[in-house]
Amino acid sequence: MQEALRWSLEEPPALAAPPAPAMPTPAPGARERVLLADDNADMRDYIQRVLSVDFDVLALADGQAALEAALAHPPDLVLSDVMMPRLDGVGLLRALRAAPHTRDLPILLLSARAGEEATLSGLESGADDYLVKPFSARELLTRVRSHLTLRRMRREVARERAQVEHLLEAVRVRDEFLSLASHELKTPLTAFQLQLGAIERGVSKASPHDIGARLETARRSVRRLANLVETLLDVSRLGPDRPRLSLAPVDLTALVHEVVAAHQDEARRQGVALVVQANASLGGYFDRERMEQVIQHLLSNALKFGRGRPVELSLHEEGPLVALRVVDHGIGIPEADRERVFERFERAVPAQHYGGLGLGLWLLRQVVEAHQGHILLQETPGG
């Protein structure tokens, strides 16, 4: 009779059912909270004693009370009997899975129904685990701890994923800004370069007050600024992808001579002799604008770091490939840095002495590899 009374949930007709108690709100660093629903008082007491050593346990006598408590203050794990009055364990599970803030709670079902079919039925209903009564305290603790550990791991992964998505969004916004700013800067720069060229053609270098020389200095400064804007635009366009190429027949020999001719004045100012060795005509399918960018940057680097010494350019066939070599005899790059300098924002020299963003060689590698080629550094005698 005493056992039967402990299964009874009937209240005197004159009394209203008390409101379901709520899960206590966790304090920082508090123990994890388990919500237990079972209509058998002995089983509730037993499970509560076992779990209370490690967890805060709220034990309720039916599924409806458990649902109200879980929706008000979601626990870390739900442990529910299958057969209960008002709302059974499967109904509780479905209701919790339907609510957005309890959808991912680990839910373990308890049942006296043994056998493979009963276990599969419990798991197919959406439960994370299924325990058959009677079970040992050790088994119960092990399963509860395992599911709470998995929940912590999932939450950590979700946090990391959110951080990654936030960073990706920040990168996207940055690249959009760089692209917009670069486009806006290019328009006045192009007009400025055209006007400088027109003025320079109409003014002699021998004019009073060295106007011609000053115009030439201004033109070089504008060209450096234009190259910087073009680099920023490239960074915003490329992102993690290779550049898109517009392939067409290109005579690389003619292109090399054009770029060298454009740099002759700079080479003379720095006392550098430019030596070119190339086949009379050597071509293939290339993106002309991108290959011009490659040759210009390699030649500018050679002039910057090899001042006062010859710079040699050679262009010849190597089997199915075309080999372009730009050789200077300047300060060189230590062997340990030769791979690193092809990464973003990497330099082999101090920025305060030589300037630059550390993006040039990274951009060149993207262009060369997009052409199915490769780029590398080799040591030259004495530098």
Side-chain angles (χ1 to χ4, degrees), residues 138-193:
R138 183 176 180 182
E139 180 185 12
L140 175 66
L141 274 171
T142 298
R143 297 205 189 192
V144 168
R145 286 170 179 163
S146 297
H147 285 286
L148 286 172
T149 299
L150 286 173
R151 183 171 190 261
R152 287 193 297 270
M153 293 171 64
R154 285 196 294 266
R155 293 173 73 175
E156 184 62 30
V157 169
R159 278 195 296 269
E160 291 178 0
R161 184 181 294 117
Q163 289 176 349
V164 169
E165 291 174 355
H166 176 72
L167 290 173
L168 289 174
E169 177 63 16
V171 169
R172 186 190 65 78
V173 171
R174 181 210 64 187
D175 288 346
E176 284 184 0
F177 169 76
L178 285 176
S179 179
L180 179 62
S182 301
H183 277 295
E184 292 297 318
L185 286 169
K186 281 184 71 175
T187 302
L189 270 176
T190 302
F192 192 23
Q193 284 178 307

Side-chain angles (χ1 to χ4, degrees), residues 104-322:
D104 299 324
L105 282 180
I107 302 175
L108 283 65
L109 293 182
L110 309 173
S111 178
R113 291 178 58 202
E116 181 181 1
E117 184 177 350
T119 301
L120 291 176
S121 175
L123 295 175
E124 287 172 357
S125 65
D128 293 279
D129 211 340
Y130 186 90
L131 281 81
V132 178
K133 301 176 184 178
F135 45 78
S136 68
R138 183 176 180 182
E139 180 185 12
L140 175 66
L141 274 171
T142 298
R143 297 205 189 192
V144 168
R145 286 170 179 163
S146 297
H147 285 286
L148 286 172
T149 299
L150 286 173
R151 183 171 190 261
R152 287 193 297 270
M153 293 171 64
R154 285 196 294 266
R155 293 173 73 175
E156 184 62 30
V157 169
R159 278 195 296 269
E160 291 178 0
R161 184 181 294 117
Q163 289 176 349
V164 169
E165 291 174 355
H166 176 72
L167 290 173
L168 289 174
E169 177 63 16
V171 169
R172 186 190 65 78
V173 171
R174 181 210 64 187
D175 288 346
E176 284 184 0
F177 169 76
L178 285 176
S179 179
L180 179 62
S182 301
H183 277 295
E184 292 297 318
L185 286 169
K186 281 184 71 175
T187 302
L189 270 176
T190 302
F192 192 23
Q193 284 178 307
L194 291 173
Q195 294 299 322
L196 274 178
I199 295 172
E200 197 173 12
R201 286 191 295 273
V203 176
S204 168
K205 290 184 180 180
S207 299
H209 310 296
D210 298 323
I211 292 176
R214 292 184 182 187
L215 283 174
E216 185 178 346
T217 301
R219 181 175 55 80
R220 290 199 304 271
S221 298
V222 171
R223 188 171 62 199
R224 284 200 299 270
L225 183 56
N227 289 337
L228 175 60
V229 170
E230 195 64 41
T231 298
L232 291 175
L233 187 57
D234 272 335
V235 171
S236 68
R237 284 189 301 223
L238 288 182
D241 303 319
R242 297 269 186 244
R244 295 181 179 179
L245 304 179
S246 299
L247 298 178
V250 175
D251 185 342
L252 281 184
T253 301
L255 185 58
V256 166
H257 283 294
E258 286 179 25
V259 174
V260 169
H263 285 76
Q264 284 290 359
D265 286 345
E266 183 181 354
R268 279 194 293 270
R269 284 194 306 273
Q270 298 186 16
V272 175
L274 292 179
V275 180
V276 180
Q277 293 181 343
N279 292 18
S281 178
L282 187 58
Y285 281 86
F286 300 96
D287 185 315
R288 190 185 192 283
E289 182 180 342
R290 290 294 186 179
M291 290 308 299
E292 183 177 2
Q293 181 184 19
V294 169
I295 301 167
Q296 281 183 346
H297 190 86
L298 292 177
L299 183 54
S300 295
N301 267 4
L303 292 173
K304 181 195 292 187
F305 297 110
R307 291 174 182 169
R309 301 180 183 181
V311 170
E312 300 123 24
L313 286 84
S314 66
L315 188 71
H316 61 274
E317 290 181 87
E318 282 190 359
L321 302 179
V322 176

Side-chain angles (χ1 to χ4, degrees), residues 343-363:
E343 301 299 329
R344 281 204 226 194
F345 308 114
E346 293 286 355
R347 304 178 183 88
V349 292
Q352 61 267 31
H353 296 311
Y354 292 93
L357 297 173
L359 289 168
L361 289 177
W362 174 77
L363 285 169

